[in-house]
Amino acid sequence: MRIDAHQHFWKIERGDYGWITPELPSLYRDFLPEHLKASLDKHRFDGTLAVQAAPTLAETDYLLSLADADDSIVGVVGWLDLHDPNHRDHYRTMASHPKFVGFRIMIQEMPDASRILEPAFVEALRSYADEDVPVDLLLRSDQLEPLTRLLELVPNLRGVVDHLAKPVIAEGRLEPWLSQMSEIAGHPGIYCKLSGMVTEADHAAWRYDQFQPYVRHASERFGPDRVLFGSDWPVCLLAASYDQVVEAIERNLPEDWGEAERARLYGLNAKEFYKL
């Protein structure tokens, strides 16, 4: 099974997406499963994981309703606020749906990323880790330090770092991202999505070779069993087409990776991580 492990759907009129404004004309319209079908067919993807793009429970319900109606959506990664004392109730409701596969923590949106180290947050995350619940981690590279400390407190977390933690590709900056990602890769339960890179480069003037040090480092440190391909469609359209996103990965994978490693990157790892 070939799986795009990270993409989004939205309907603008729903009103969840405060960050999608008319000033982003390439994104300010509806993006639904029928709009993605041609790209999935071209690249032989059997299905996708739809990931939350708004910090609301209602949007997760909306994605699950889309999954009910479309077999190409093999799983939904929803939204959950572990600072909400009712997070357990919300989780139970979402988890009752057969296509709910896990939730995403939006560290990126926290004014102070160290909030993930607060005792109540750590205790909540430990409870989900004990149940082996898959957790997506959305953060920027300048927020990696609190994450490394969190993983020391929750060493058994089944987690995946989205978008390689958004390194500063536009400036070609590597450290401290290299060192911090190496440390994070040392936790066997943590995976990494090779996704979201084109939007961290210069949207109008990126080059394929700019991505090589980031793709190679993540691929080599996490290994072929813990990396997942994600298009980040339609957000990727700010800087690149779906075809170009696939090309950016293919051009920069380790030279010794063959069909077995690609099979894991393009589907098997997602199938195992999310228990599909």
Side-chain angles (χ1 to χ4, degrees):
M1 176 179 281
R2 283 173 60 85
I3 299 169
D4 179 343
H6 197 106
Q7 54 83 209
H8 307 283
F9 295 121
W10 58 68
K11 212 171 174 58
I12 293 296
E13 68 181 19
R14 295 192 61 259
D16 298 75
Y17 312 98
W19 61 278
I20 307 174
T21 66
E23 287 69 43
L24 295 173
S26 57
L27 300 185
Y28 194 70
R29 65 178 178 85
D30 295 347
F31 286 94
L32 298 169
E34 58 263 32
H35 303 136
L36 182 57
K37 185 177 187 307
S39 293
L40 296 182
D41 289 347
K42 178 177 180 179
H43 295 283
R44 299 180 293 108
F45 283 108
D46 302 296
T48 73
L49 285 156
V51 180
Q52 61 85 216
T56 68
L57 297 167
E59 194 231 8
T60 298
D61 289 340
Y62 171 67
L63 293 177
L64 290 169
S65 72
L66 288 180
D68 281 334
D70 198 300
D71 290 340
S72 71
I73 305 172
V74 298
V76 170
V77 177
W79 175 77
L80 195 64
D81 179 7
L82 298 191
H83 288 111
D84 182 341
N86 296 314
H87 65 84
R88 266 287 166 190
D89 294 333
H90 301 316
Y91 173 76
R92 278 192 288 269
T93 299
M94 292 187 291
S96 67
H97 192 287
K99 284 194 175 180
F100 175 77
V101 296
F103 62 85
R104 178 156 82 155
I105 298 172
M106 300 181 77
I107 303 170
Q108 173 184 288
E109 304 304 318
M110 297 180 183
D112 181 0
S114 66
R115 287 205 68 201
I116 64 176
L117 301 174
E118 293 176 1
F121 188 98
V122 172
E123 181 182 356
L125 192 59
R126 280 176 176 160
S127 71
Y128 292 108
D130 289 344
E131 295 173 26
D132 205 34
V133 177
V135 177
D136 273 57
L137 302 161
L138 175 65
L139 73 162
R140 302 185 310 269
S141 58
D142 63 351
Q143 298 171 315
L144 281 168
E145 194 273 333
L147 178 60
T148 61
R149 292 163 60 194
L150 179 67
L151 295 178
E152 292 170 3
L153 298 171
V154 193
N156 62 328
L157 179 67
R158 175 188 287 268
V160 59
V161 176
D162 290 348
H163 312 325
L164 297 89
K166 297 193 170 184
V168 189
I169 297 173
E171 298 176 14
R173 195 183 307 165
L174 290 171
E175 289 292 0
W177 178 86
L178 287 173
S179 301
Q180 291 171 325
M181 288 295 280
S182 292
E183 185 174 352
I184 287 168
H187 294 268
I190 304 300
Y191 291 58
C192 181
K193 286 186 182 178
L194 304 188
S195 60
M197 293 186 300
V198 292
T199 47
E200 299 309 311
D202 183 322
H203 291 186
W206 59 264
R207 305 181 318 276
Y208 285 112
D209 62 357
Q210 283 181 286
F211 306 120
Q212 181 168 304
Y214 305 97
V215 173
R216 291 277 173 94
H217 185 70
S219 300
E220 291 163 359
R221 291 298 180 271
F222 286 88
D225 294 336
R226 289 192 289 142
V227 287
L228 288 65
F229 166 79
S231 66
D232 199 28
W233 181 94
V235 180
C236 67
L237 300 179
L238 289 168
S241 67
Y242 197 104
D243 293 351
Q244 288 174 313
V245 170
V246 175
E247 185 74 9
I249 297 296
E250 274 299 313
R251 287 196 186 197
N252 292 301
L253 289 174
E255 293 178 2
D256 61 346
W257 278 28
E259 288 306 309
E261 290 81 5
R262 282 172 167 78
R264 298 206 65 83
L265 169 68
Y266 290 114
L268 291 179
N269 291 339
K271 183 174 183 288
E272 291 175 6
F273 178 79
Y274 289 108
K275 308 176 188 178
L276 300 175

